[in-house]
Every structure is written in structure tokens, then in C-alpha cells.
Amino acid sequence: MNIKNFRNILTFGIGILIFSFSVFLTIKIAQNTSGNLTLAIISLIIFYWLSYLFIATSLIRMEYRKSEKGINIKINNEDKQLVIKNTGNGKSEVINNDNVKSIELYYSWNTNPFSSDLGYSKIMLNNDSKIFITQDKISQAEIKSLFRKKVKKEKSRFMNKLK
């Protein structure tokens, strides 16, 4: 098991633990309504929100790993192109300015290890197919330097779902 899979499993586990604790707190608060209800509700909202962040981050990472499985990407700076090789069938595809319609870059604004890897590049080709390249494979800055004139959209979020 590599470190990325371990981190993803750990993140998911922490999210489930926080969620379980939130459910436990909800039950306890429902049984004892004599305390400060406002403070209890605020605490619950914070715990449910934290569990959502941990679980959603883990699921998005799993989606990223699935999309990049069996693909090797190399940059050819001289010819300003990407070479995408499918290790399963051995086929290669060359992406250059001629066959790229537009590019969207999605950055993760958070720079800590929790979500800094949740960014990707979306390349729309002239044949209406899409290629997703996660930040783990090639950073958005490298894609932008290769295809500067084709970049149409740049977004920055905490985490970015492939779409």
C-alpha cells in the first residue's frame, strides 16, 4: 500500500469517526434538552461539517486515483505537447495546440497536505472528448505554460470534483 492510498483510507476513517461522534452527540443532546441548546446545535453543525470535509475529500481522491490509473503522462517541452500513454493497452496519444479546443484549470487553494492535491486540468479536444490530468500527475502551471493561449477558465476551490 502506497502513502497516497494510506492517507486516503486514514482520511475516510477519521471522517467516519467524527460522523459517529456527531451522531452520538445528537442522541445525547436530544435526550437532555435542559442545557444550552444553541451551543449544542452549533457544536453539532461544526462536527457534521468536519465529517463531511473528511469524507468528501477522501471520495474525491478516490475518484482522482481511478481516473489516472494506468496512465503515464510525459511533457515534451520542445514540441509543446503532452504524450499520454495507456499502460494497459500500450496506446499513446499526443496532445498539442492543434488538437486542443480549450483548457480549464482547477486549483486547490488550500496548501496543506489535507487538500493540496485536489486540483486538476481539464483538456477539451477538438473531437469533443475530455482529458482530466490531476495535480499529482502534472501541475496546472505546467499545463498552462504548454497551452497558454488555450486556457479559458481558471478556478480555485478547497477541493475540486472531476466534471
Side-chain angles (χ1 to χ4, degrees), residues 34-147:
S34 64
N36 189 345
L37 196 57
T38 306
L39 182 61
I41 290 173
I42 290 172
S43 299
L44 284 177
I45 289 170
I46 290 171
F47 277 109
Y48 279 112
W49 180 70
L50 279 174
S51 66
Y52 164 76
L53 283 179
F54 276 92
I55 293 170
T57 301
S58 176
L59 293 175
I60 289 173
R61 275 196 186 112
M62 193 168 43
E63 184 181 16
Y64 279 22
R65 303 301 172 257
K66 190 170 118 180
S67 77
E68 66 190 13
K69 188 175 184 179
I71 294 175
N72 289 330
I73 302 172
K74 297 201 182 200
I75 297 176
N76 183 339
N77 284 320
E78 292 175 15
D79 298 330
K80 298 259 184 206
Q81 61 188 15
L82 291 173
V83 179
I84 301 172
K85 184 175 183 178
N86 186 329
T87 57
N89 60 16
K91 292 183 181 178
S92 292
E93 184 176 5
V94 176
I95 309 296
N96 57 30
N97 274 312
D98 296 335
N99 57 0
V100 172
K101 185 189 298 183
S102 65
I103 295 177
E104 297 176 4
L105 303 174
Y106 295 89
Y107 299 94
S108 177
W109 55 260
N110 198 351
T111 58
N112 67 32
F114 181 69
S115 72
S116 63
D117 62 336
L118 298 175
Y120 68 92
S121 302
K122 178 179 170 183
I123 301 173
M124 276 81 67
L125 301 176
N126 290 331
N127 64 4
D128 291 329
S129 64
K130 299 174 187 171
I131 297 173
F132 295 99
I133 301 174
T134 64
Q135 188 170 318
D136 283 344
K137 291 285 184 179
I138 296 179
S139 74
Q140 295 91 331
E142 291 178 278
I143 300 287
K144 187 175 183 177
S145 70
L146 276 179
F147 304 110

Side-chain angles (χ1 to χ4, degrees), residues 4-43:
K4 289 179 185 177
N5 287 337
F6 178 74
R7 181 173 68 176
N8 199 28
I9 291 168
L10 182 65
T11 303
F12 187 76
I14 291 171
I16 294 296
L17 282 172
I18 294 172
F19 180 75
S20 300
F21 183 68
S22 302
V23 170
F24 172 76
L25 280 179
T26 303
I27 293 168
K28 287 297 185 186
I29 290 170
Q31 291 173 350
N32 182 13
T33 57
S34 64
N36 189 345
L37 196 57
T38 306
L39 182 61
I41 290 173
I42 290 172
S43 299

Side-chain angles (χ1 to χ4, degrees), residues 148-160:
R148 185 169 304 280
K149 294 178 183 175
K150 300 289 184 168
V151 174
K152 302 293 181 200
K153 182 180 189 182
E154 292 186 60
K155 288 274 188 177
S156 184
R157 296 185 186 135
F158 181 75
M159 56 184 157
N160 298 284

